[in-house]
Coordinates of all heavy atoms in Angstrom, one line a residue:
A1 N 0.8 -1.2 0.0 CA 0.0 0.0 0.0 C 0.9 1.2 0.0 O 1.9 1.3 0.6 CB -0.9 0.0 1.2
V2 N 0.4 2.2 -0.7 CA 1.2 3.5 -0.8 C 0.4 4.5 0.1 O -0.8 4.6 0.1 CB 1.2 4.0 -2.2 CG1 1.9 5.4 -2.3 CG2 1.9 3.0 -3.1
V3 N 1.2 5.3 0.9 CA 0.7 6.2 1.8 C 0.9 7.6 1.2 O 2.0 7.9 0.8 CB 1.3 6.1 3.2 CG1 0.8 7.2 4.1 CG2 1.1 4.7 3.7
S4 N -0.1 8.5 1.3 CA 0.0 9.9 0.9 C -0.3 10.8 2.0 O -1.0 10.4 2.9 CB -1.0 10.1 -0.3 OG -0.8 9.3 -1.3
T5 N 0.2 12.0 2.0 CA -0.1 12.9 3.1 C -1.1 13.9 2.5 O -1.0 14.4 1.4 CB 1.1 13.6 3.6 OG1 1.8 14.3 2.6 CG2 2.0 12.7 4.4
Q6 N -2.1 14.2 3.3 CA -3.1 15.2 3.0 C -3.2 16.2 4.2 O -2.6 16.0 5.2 CB -4.5 14.6 2.8 CG -4.5 13.6 1.6 CD -5.9 12.9 1.5 OE1 -6.7 13.1 2.4 NE2 -6.1 12.2 0.4
S7 N -4.0 17.2 4.1 CA -4.2 18.1 5.2 C -4.7 17.5 6.4 O -4.5 17.9 7.5 CB -5.1 19.3 4.8 OG -6.3 18.8 4.4
T8 N -5.4 16.3 6.2 CA -6.0 15.6 7.4 C -5.1 14.6 8.0 O -5.4 14.0 9.0 CB -7.3 14.9 6.9 OG1 -7.0 14.1 5.8 CG2 -8.4 16.0 6.5
G9 N -3.9 14.3 7.3 CA -3.0 13.3 7.9 C -2.5 12.4 6.8 O -2.7 12.7 5.6
A10 N -2.0 11.3 7.2 CA -1.5 10.3 6.2 C -2.6 9.3 5.9 O -3.3 8.8 6.8 CB -0.3 9.5 6.8
V11 N -2.8 9.0 4.7 CA -3.9 8.1 4.2 C -3.4 7.1 3.2 O -2.4 7.4 2.5 CB -5.1 8.9 3.7 CG1 -5.8 9.7 4.7 CG2 -4.7 9.7 2.4
L12 N -4.1 6.0 3.0 CA -3.8 5.1 2.0 C -4.1 5.8 0.7 O -5.2 6.3 0.5 CB -4.5 3.8 2.1 CG -4.2 2.9 3.3 CD1 -5.0 1.7 3.4 CD2 -2.7 2.6 3.3
T13 N -3.2 5.8 -0.3 CA -3.4 6.5 -1.5 C -4.7 6.1 -2.2 O -5.0 4.9 -2.3 CB -2.2 6.3 -2.5 OG1 -1.1 6.8 -1.8 CG2 -2.4 7.1 -3.8
G14 N -5.5 7.1 -2.6 CA -6.8 6.9 -3.3 C -7.9 6.6 -2.4 O -9.0 6.3 -2.9
T15 N -7.7 6.7 -1.1 CA -8.8 6.4 -0.1 C -8.8 7.5 0.9 O -7.9 8.4 0.9 CB -8.6 5.1 0.6 OG1 -7.5 5.2 1.5 CG2 -8.3 3.9 -0.4
N16 N -9.7 7.4 1.9 CA -9.7 8.3 3.0 C -9.3 7.5 4.3 O -9.5 7.9 5.4 CB -11.1 8.9 3.2 CG -11.4 10.0 2.2 OD1 -10.5 10.7 1.8 ND2 -12.6 10.0 1.8
T17 N -8.7 6.3 4.1 CA -8.3 5.4 5.2 C -7.1 6.0 5.9 O -6.0 6.1 5.2 CB -8.1 4.0 4.7 OG1 -9.3 3.6 4.1 CG2 -7.8 3.1 5.9
L18 N -7.1 6.3 7.1 CA -6.0 6.8 7.8 C -4.9 5.7 7.9 O -5.1 4.6 8.1 CB -6.3 7.2 9.3 CG -7.2 8.4 9.4 CD1 -7.5 8.7 10.9 CD2 -6.5 9.6 8.9
A19 N -3.6 6.2 7.7 CA -2.5 5.3 7.6 C -1.4 5.7 8.6 O -0.3 5.2 8.5 CB -2.0 5.2 6.2
G20 N -1.7 6.6 9.5 CA -0.7 7.0 10.4 C -0.8 8.5 10.6 O -1.8 9.2 10.2
S21 N 0.2 9.1 11.1 CA 0.2 10.5 11.3 C 1.3 11.2 10.5 O 2.4 10.6 10.3 CB 0.5 10.8 12.8 OG 0.6 12.1 13.1
A22 N 1.1 12.4 10.2 CA 2.1 13.2 9.5 C 2.6 14.4 10.3 O 3.3 15.3 9.9 CB 1.6 13.7 8.1
V23 N 2.2 14.4 11.6 CA 2.6 15.5 12.5 C 4.0 15.3 13.0 O 4.5 14.2 13.2 CB 1.6 15.6 13.7 CG1 1.7 14.4 14.6 CG2 1.7 16.9 14.4
T24 N 4.7 16.4 13.1 CA 6.1 16.4 13.6 C 6.1 16.3 15.1 O 5.1 16.7 15.8 CB 6.8 17.6 13.1 OG1 6.2 18.8 13.7 CG2 6.8 17.7 11.6
M25 N 7.2 15.9 15.7 CA 7.4 15.9 17.1 C 7.3 17.3 17.7 O 6.6 17.5 18.8 CB 8.7 15.2 17.5 CG 8.8 15.0 19.1 SD 7.4 14.1 19.9 CE 7.8 12.5 19.4
P26 N 7.9 18.3 17.1 CA 7.7 19.6 17.7 C 6.3 20.1 17.7 O 5.8 20.7 18.7 CB 8.6 20.5 16.8 CG 9.7 19.6 16.3 CD 9.0 18.3 16.1
A27 N 5.5 19.7 16.7 CA 4.1 20.1 16.7 C 3.3 19.3 17.8 O 2.4 19.9 18.4 CB 3.5 19.8 15.3
C28 N 3.7 18.1 18.0 CA 3.1 17.3 19.1 C 3.4 17.9 20.5 O 2.5 18.1 21.3 CB 3.6 15.9 19.1 SG 3.1 14.8 17.8
V29 N 4.6 18.4 20.7 CA 5.0 19.0 21.9 C 4.2 20.3 22.1 O 3.7 20.6 23.2 CB 6.5 19.2 22.0 CG1 6.9 20.1 23.2 CG2 7.3 17.9 22.1
A30 N 4.1 21.1 21.0 CA 3.4 22.4 21.1 C 1.9 22.1 21.4 O 1.3 22.8 22.2 CB 3.6 23.1 19.8
N31 N 1.3 21.1 20.7 CA -0.1 20.8 21.0 C -0.3 20.3 22.4 O -1.3 20.7 23.1 CB -0.6 19.7 20.0 CG -0.8 20.3 18.6 OD1 -1.0 21.5 18.4 ND2 -0.8 19.4 17.6
F32 N 0.6 19.5 22.9 CA 0.5 19.0 24.3 C 0.5 20.1 25.3 O -0.3 20.2 26.2 CB 1.5 18.0 24.6 CG 1.4 17.4 25.9 CD1 0.5 16.4 26.2 CD2 2.2 17.8 27.0 CE1 0.3 15.8 27.5 CE2 2.1 17.2 28.2 CZ 1.2 16.3 28.5
K33 N 1.5 21.0 25.0 CA 1.7 22.2 25.9 C 0.4 23.1 25.9 O -0.1 23.5 26.9 CB 2.9 23.0 25.4 CG 3.1 24.3 26.3 CD 4.3 25.0 25.7 CE 4.6 26.3 26.4 NZ 3.7 27.4 26.0
K34 N -0.1 23.3 24.7 CA -1.3 24.2 24.5 C -2.5 23.6 25.2 O -3.2 24.2 26.0 CB -1.6 24.4 23.0 CG -2.8 25.2 22.8 CD -3.1 25.3 21.3 CE -4.3 26.1 21.0 NZ -4.5 26.2 19.5
Y35 N -2.8 22.3 24.9 CA -4.1 21.7 25.4 C -4.0 21.2 26.8 O -5.0 21.1 27.5 CB -4.5 20.6 24.5 CG -4.9 21.2 23.1 CD1 -4.1 20.9 22.0 CD2 -6.0 22.0 23.0 CE1 -4.5 21.4 20.7 CE2 -6.4 22.5 21.8 CZ -5.6 22.3 20.7 OH -5.9 22.8 19.4
S36 N -2.8 20.9 27.4 CA -2.7 20.5 28.8 C -2.4 21.7 29.7 O -2.5 21.5 30.9 CB -1.6 19.4 28.9 OG -0.3 20.0 28.7
R37 N -2.0 22.8 29.1 CA -1.6 24.0 29.8 C -0.4 23.7 30.8 O -0.3 24.4 31.8 CB -2.8 24.5 30.6 CG -3.9 25.0 29.7 CD -5.1 25.6 30.5 NE -6.1 26.0 29.5 CZ -7.3 26.3 29.9 NH1 -7.7 26.1 31.1 NH2 -8.2 26.7 29.0
C38 N 0.4 22.8 30.4 CA 1.6 22.6 31.1 C 2.7 23.6 30.7 O 2.6 24.3 29.7 CB 2.1 21.1 30.9 SG 2.7 20.7 29.3
T39 N 3.9 23.5 31.4 CA 5.0 24.4 31.0 C 5.7 23.7 29.8 O 5.5 22.6 29.5 CB 6.0 24.5 32.1 OG1 6.6 23.2 32.4 CG2 5.3 25.0 33.4
L40 N 6.6 24.5 29.2 CA 7.4 24.0 28.1 C 8.3 22.9 28.5 O 8.4 21.9 27.9 CB 8.2 25.1 27.4 CG 9.1 24.7 26.2 CD1 8.3 24.1 25.1 CD2 9.8 26.0 25.7
V41 N 8.9 23.1 29.7 CA 9.7 22.0 30.3 C 9.0 20.7 30.5 O 9.4 19.6 30.1 CB 10.4 22.5 31.6 CG1 11.1 21.4 32.3 CG2 11.4 23.7 31.3
E42 N 7.8 20.8 31.0 CA 7.0 19.6 31.2 C 6.6 18.9 29.9 O 6.7 17.7 29.8 CB 5.7 20.0 32.0 CG 5.9 20.4 33.5 CD 4.7 21.0 34.1 OE1 3.9 21.7 33.4 OE2 4.6 20.8 35.4
A43 N 6.3 19.7 28.9 CA 5.9 19.2 27.6 C 7.1 18.5 27.0 O 7.0 17.4 26.4 CB 5.4 20.2 26.7
V44 N 8.3 19.1 27.0 CA 9.5 18.5 26.5 C 9.8 17.2 27.2 O 10.2 16.2 26.6 CB 10.7 19.5 26.5 CG1 12.0 18.8 26.2 CG2 10.4 20.6 25.5
N45 N 9.7 17.2 28.5 CA 10.0 16.0 29.3 C 9.1 14.9 28.9 O 9.5 13.7 28.9 CB 9.9 16.3 30.8 CG 11.1 17.0 31.4 OD1 12.2 16.9 30.8 ND2 11.0 17.6 32.5
C46 N 7.8 15.2 28.6 CA 6.9 14.2 28.2 C 7.3 13.5 26.9 O 6.9 12.4 26.6 CB 5.5 14.8 28.1 SG 4.7 15.0 29.7
A47 N 8.0 14.3 26.1 CA 8.4 13.7 24.7 C 9.8 13.1 24.8 O 10.2 12.5 23.8 CB 8.4 14.9 23.7
T48 N 10.6 13.3 25.8 CA 12.0 12.9 25.9 C 12.3 12.1 27.1 O 12.5 10.9 27.0 CB 12.9 14.1 25.8 OG1 12.6 15.0 26.9 CG2 12.8 14.9 24.5
K49 N 12.3 12.7 28.2 CA 12.7 12.1 29.5 C 11.8 10.9 29.9 O 12.3 9.8 30.2 CB 12.8 13.1 30.6 CG 13.3 12.6 31.9 CD 13.4 13.7 32.9 CE 13.8 13.3 34.3 NZ 13.9 14.4 35.2
H50 N 10.5 11.2 29.9 CA 9.6 10.2 30.4 C 9.5 8.9 29.5 O 9.5 7.8 30.1 CB 8.2 10.8 30.6 CG 8.2 11.9 31.6 ND1 8.9 11.8 32.8 CD2 7.6 13.1 31.6 CE1 8.7 12.9 33.5 NE2 8.0 13.7 32.8
P51 N 9.5 9.0 28.2 CA 9.6 7.8 27.4 C 10.8 7.0 27.6 O 10.8 5.8 27.7 CB 9.5 8.3 25.9 CG 8.8 9.6 26.0 CD 9.2 10.2 27.4
A52 N 12.0 7.7 27.8 CA 13.2 7.0 28.0 C 13.2 6.3 29.4 O 13.7 5.2 29.5 CB 14.4 8.0 28.0
Q53 N 12.5 6.9 30.4 CA 12.4 6.2 31.6 C 11.5 5.0 31.5 O 11.9 3.9 32.1 CB 11.7 7.2 32.7 CG 12.7 8.3 33.1 CD 12.0 9.4 34.0 OE1 10.8 9.6 33.8 NE2 12.7 10.0 34.8
L54 N 10.4 5.1 30.8 CA 9.6 3.9 30.6 C 10.3 2.8 29.8 O 10.0 1.6 30.1 CB 8.3 4.3 29.8 CG 7.3 5.1 30.6 CD1 6.2 5.6 29.7 CD2 6.7 4.3 31.8
L55 N 11.1 3.1 28.9 CA 11.9 2.2 28.1 C 13.2 1.7 28.8 O 13.9 0.9 28.2 CB 12.2 2.7 26.7 CG 11.0 3.0 25.8 CD1 11.3 3.8 24.6 CD2 10.3 1.7 25.5
K56 N 13.4 2.3 30.0 CA 14.6 2.0 30.7 C 15.9 2.2 30.0 O 16.8 1.3 30.0 CB 14.5 0.6 31.3 CG 13.3 0.4 32.2 CD 13.3 -1.0 32.9 CE 12.1 -1.3 33.7 NZ 11.4 -0.3 34.3
C57 N 16.0 3.3 29.3 CA 17.2 3.6 28.5 C 17.7 5.0 28.8 O 18.3 5.6 27.9 CB 16.9 3.4 27.0 SG 15.7 4.5 26.3
T58 N 17.6 5.5 30.0 CA 18.0 6.8 30.4 C 19.5 7.0 30.5 O 20.0 8.1 30.5 CB 17.3 7.3 31.7 OG1 17.6 6.3 32.7 CG2 15.8 7.4 31.6
K59 N 20.2 5.9 30.4 CA 21.7 6.1 30.4 C 22.2 6.6 29.1 O 23.2 7.2 29.0 CB 22.4 4.8 30.8 CG 22.2 4.3 32.2 CD 23.0 3.1 32.5 CE 22.8 2.8 34.0 NZ 23.7 1.8 34.5
L60 N 21.4 6.4 28.1 CA 21.8 6.9 26.7 C 20.8 8.0 26.2 O 21.3 8.8 25.5 CB 21.8 5.7 25.7 CG 22.9 4.7 25.9 CD1 22.7 3.6 24.9 CD2 24.3 5.4 25.8
Y61 N 19.5 7.9 26.5 CA 18.6 8.8 25.9 C 17.7 9.5 27.0 O 17.5 9.0 28.1 CB 17.6 8.0 25.0 CG 18.4 7.2 23.9 CD1 18.6 5.9 24.0 CD2 18.8 7.9 22.8 CE1 19.3 5.2 23.0 CE2 19.5 7.3 21.8 CZ 19.8 5.9 21.9 OH 20.5 5.3 20.9
G62 N 17.1 10.6 26.5 CA 16.2 11.3 27.4 C 16.7 12.4 28.2 O 16.0 13.2 28.8
T63 N 18.1 12.4 28.4 CA 18.7 13.5 29.1 C 20.0 13.8 28.4 O 20.4 13.2 27.5 CB 19.1 13.0 30.6 OG1 20.1 12.0 30.4 CG2 17.9 12.4 31.3
L64 N 20.7 14.8 28.9 CA 22.0 15.2 28.4 C 23.1 15.0 29.5 O 24.0 15.7 29.6 CB 22.0 16.7 28.0 CG 21.3 16.9 26.7 CD1 21.2 18.4 26.3 CD2 21.8 16.1 25.5
D65 N 22.9 13.9 30.2 CA 23.8 13.5 31.2 C 25.2 13.1 30.6 O 25.2 12.6 29.4 CB 23.3 12.4 32.1 CG 22.2 12.8 33.0 OD1 22.1 14.0 33.3 OD2 21.4 11.9 33.4
F66 N 26.2 13.1 31.4 CA 27.5 12.6 30.9 C 27.4 11.2 30.4 O 26.8 10.3 31.0 CB 28.6 12.7 32.0 CG 29.9 12.2 31.6 CD1 30.7 13.1 30.8 CD2 30.4 11.0 31.9 CE1 32.0 12.6 30.4 CE2 31.6 10.5 31.5 CZ 32.4 11.4 30.7
G67 N 27.9 10.9 29.2 CA 27.9 9.6 28.6 C 26.6 9.3 27.8 O 26.5 8.2 27.2
S68 N 25.6 10.2 27.8 CA 24.4 9.9 27.0 C 24.7 10.3 25.5 O 25.6 11.0 25.2 CB 23.2 10.7 27.6 OG 23.4 12.1 27.4
V69 N 23.8 9.8 24.7 CA 23.8 10.2 23.2 C 23.5 11.7 23.2 O 22.5 12.1 23.7 CB 22.8 9.4 22.4 CG1 22.8 9.8 21.0 CG2 23.2 7.9 22.5
A70 N 24.3 12.4 22.5 CA 24.1 13.9 22.4 C 23.3 14.3 21.2 O 23.7 15.0 20.4 CB 25.5 14.6 22.4
D71 N 22.0 13.8 21.2 CA 21.1 14.2 20.2 C 20.1 15.1 20.8 O 19.5 14.8 21.8 CB 20.3 13.0 19.6 CG 21.2 12.0 18.9 OD1 22.3 12.3 18.6 OD2 20.7 10.9 18.6
F72 N 20.0 16.4 20.3 CA 19.1 17.3 21.0 C 18.8 18.5 20.0 O 19.4 18.6 19.0 CB 19.7 17.9 22.3 CG 21.0 18.7 22.1 CD1 21.0 20.0 22.0 CD2 22.2 18.0 22.1 CE1 22.1 20.8 21.8 CE2 23.4 18.7 21.9 CZ 23.3 20.1 21.8
L73 N 17.7 19.2 20.4 CA 17.3 20.4 19.7 C 17.4 21.6 20.5 O 17.3 21.6 21.7 CB 15.8 20.2 19.3 CG 15.3 19.0 18.6 CD1 13.8 19.0 18.5 CD2 15.9 19.0 17.2
I74 N 17.5 22.7 19.8 CA 17.4 24.0 20.5 C 16.0 24.5 19.9 O 15.9 24.6 18.7 CB 18.5 25.0 20.2 CG1 19.8 24.4 20.8 CG2 18.2 26.4 20.7 CD1 21.0 25.3 20.5
I75 N 15.1 24.9 20.8 CA 13.8 25.3 20.4 C 13.5 26.7 21.0 O 14.1 27.0 22.1 CB 12.7 24.3 20.7 CG1 12.7 24.1 22.2 CG2 12.8 23.0 19.9 CD1 11.5 23.2 22.7
D76 N 12.6 27.4 20.5 CA 12.1 28.6 21.1 C 10.9 28.4 21.9 O 10.4 27.2 22.0 CB 11.9 29.8 20.1 CG 10.8 29.5 19.1 OD1 10.0 28.6 19.3 OD2 10.8 30.2 18.0
S77 N 10.3 29.4 22.5 CA 9.1 29.2 23.4 C 7.9 28.7 22.7 O 7.0 28.2 23.3 CB 8.8 30.5 24.2 OG 8.5 31.5 23.3
D78 N 7.9 28.8 21.3 CA 6.8 28.3 20.5 C 7.1 27.0 19.9 O 6.4 26.5 19.1 CB 6.4 29.3 19.4 CG 5.9 30.6 20.0 OD1 5.1 30.6 20.9 OD2 6.3 31.7 19.4
V79 N 8.2 26.3 20.4 CA 8.6 25.0 19.9 C 9.0 25.0 18.5 O 9.0 24.0 17.8 CB 7.6 23.9 20.3 CG1 8.3 22.5 20.2 CG2 6.9 24.1 21.6
N80 N 9.5 26.1 18.0 CA 10.1 26.2 16.6 C 11.5 25.7 16.8 O 12.3 26.1 17.7 CB 10.1 27.6 16.1 CG 8.7 28.1 15.8 OD1 7.9 27.5 15.1 ND2 8.4 29.2 16.4
V81 N 11.9 24.8 15.9 CA 13.3 24.2 16.0 C 14.3 25.2 15.4 O 14.2 25.7 14.3 CB 13.4 22.9 15.2 CG1 14.8 22.4 15.2 CG2 12.4 21.9 15.8
L82 N 15.2 25.6 16.3 CA 16.3 26.6 15.9 C 17.6 25.9 15.5 O 18.3 26.4 14.7 CB 16.5 27.6 17.0 CG 15.3 28.4 17.4 CD1 15.7 29.3 18.6 CD2 14.7 29.1 16.3
A83 N 17.8 24.7 16.1 CA 19.0 23.9 15.7 C 18.8 22.5 16.1 O 18.1 22.2 17.1 CB 20.3 24.5 16.4
T84 N 19.5 21.6 15.4 CA 19.4 20.2 15.7 C 20.9 19.6 15.8 O 21.7 19.9 14.9 CB 18.7 19.4 14.6 OG1 17.4 19.9 14.4 CG2 18.6 17.9 14.9
Y85 N 21.1 18.9 16.8 CA 22.4 18.3 17.0 C 22.3 16.8 17.1 O 21.4 16.3 17.7 CB 23.1 18.7 18.3 CG 23.5 20.2 18.4 CD1 22.6 21.2 18.5 CD2 24.9 20.5 18.2 CE1 23.0 22.5 18.5 CE2 25.3 21.8 18.3 CZ 24.3 22.8 18.4 OH 24.8 24.1 18.4
I86 N 23.1 16.0 16.4 CA 23.1 14.6 16.4 C 24.5 14.2 16.8 O 25.5 14.6 16.1 CB 22.7 14.0 15.1 CG1 21.3 14.3 14.8 CG2 22.9 12.4 15.1 CD1 20.7 13.9 13.4
G87 N 24.6 13.4 17.8 CA 26.0 13.0 18.3 C 26.8 14.2 18.7 O 28.0 14.1 18.7
G88 N 26.2 15.3 19.1 CA 26.9 16.5 19.5 C 27.3 17.4 18.4 O 27.8 18.5 18.6
D89 N 27.0 17.0 17.2 CA 27.4 17.8 16.0 C 26.1 18.5 15.4 O 25.1 17.8 15.3 CB 28.0 16.9 14.9 CG 29.3 16.3 15.3 OD1 30.1 17.0 16.0 OD2 29.5 15.1 14.9
I90 N 26.3 19.7 15.1 CA 25.1 20.5 14.6 C 24.9 20.0 13.1 O 25.8 19.9 12.3 CB 25.3 22.0 14.6 CG1 24.0 22.7 14.3 CG2 26.5 22.4 13.7 CD1 24.0 24.2 14.7
V91 N 23.6 19.6 12.9 CA 23.2 19.2 11.5 C 22.2 20.1 10.9 O 21.9 20.0 9.7 CB 22.7 17.7 11.5 CG1 23.8 16.8 12.0 CG2 21.5 17.5 12.4
F92 N 21.6 21.0 11.7 CA 20.6 21.9 11.2 C 20.7 23.2 12.0 O 20.8 23.1 13.3 CB 19.2 21.4 11.2 CG 18.2 22.5 11.0 CD1 17.9 23.0 9.7 CD2 17.5 23.1 12.1 CE1 17.0 24.0 9.5 CE2 16.5 24.1 11.9 CZ 16.3 24.5 10.6
K93 N 20.7 24.3 11.4 CA 20.7 25.6 12.1 C 19.8 26.6 11.3 O 20.0 26.9 10.2 CB 22.2 26.2 12.1 CG 22.3 27.5 12.9 CD 23.7 27.8 13.2 CE 24.1 28.9 12.3 NZ 25.5 29.4 12.6
S94 N 18.8 27.0 12.0 CA 17.8 28.0 11.5 C 18.5 29.4 11.4 O 19.3 29.7 12.2 CB 16.6 28.1 12.4 OG 15.8 29.2 12.0
E95 N 18.0 30.1 10.4 CA 18.4 31.5 10.3 C 18.0 32.3 11.5 O 18.6 33.4 11.8 CB 17.8 32.2 9.0 CG 18.3 31.5 7.8 CD 17.5 32.1 6.6 OE1 16.6 32.9 6.7 OE2 17.9 31.7 5.4
K96 N 17.0 31.8 12.3 CA 16.5 32.5 13.4 C 17.4 32.3 14.7 O 17.2 33.0 15.7 CB 15.1 32.1 13.7 CG 14.1 32.5 12.6 CD 12.7 32.0 13.0 CE 11.8 32.2 11.8 NZ 10.4 31.7 12.1
L97 N 18.3 31.4 14.6 CA 19.2 31.1 15.7 C 20.1 32.2 16.0 O 20.9 32.7 15.1 CB 20.0 29.8 15.5 CG 20.9 29.4 16.7 CD1 20.0 29.0 17.9 CD2 21.7 28.2 16.3
V98 N 20.0 32.8 17.2 CA 20.9 33.9 17.6 C 22.0 33.3 18.5 O 21.7 32.5 19.4 CB 20.1 34.9 18.4 CG1 20.9 36.1 18.9 CG2 18.9 35.4 17.5
R99 N 23.2 33.7 18.3 CA 24.3 33.3 19.1 C 24.1 33.9 20.5 O 23.8 35.1 20.6 CB 25.6 33.6 18.5 CG 26.0 32.8 17.3 CD 27.4 33.1 16.9 NE 27.7 32.1 16.0 CZ 28.7 31.3 16.2 NH1 29.5 31.3 17.3 NH2 29.0 30.3 15.3
F100 N 24.4 33.1 21.5 CA 24.4 33.7 22.9 C 25.6 33.3 23.7 O 26.4 32.6 23.2 CB 23.1 33.2 23.6 CG 22.8 31.8 23.5 CD1 23.1 30.9 24.5 CD2 22.1 31.3 22.3 CE1 22.8 29.6 24.3 CE2 21.8 30.0 22.2 CZ 22.2 29.1 23.2

């Protein structure tokens, strides 16, 4: 089966049958923050730290502790991605990223 994306989400091509989601993780975090009225830190933890705790992989993922995988984002207060790091190396930098 071939999956296409539409404004309503991912569907099987030629049908209206849902085939998954086309929403990004930053959009999920922003929606969770908006509808739960939690803080940005709480929303980010729900997408990173808490899943890693449930999967029992916090030595590598979900935190930026010493020895963990250094994959992380820099986001603004609206959860727009300003930079992406994989293994500690920058792989994406938005024009909106301001040096600090």
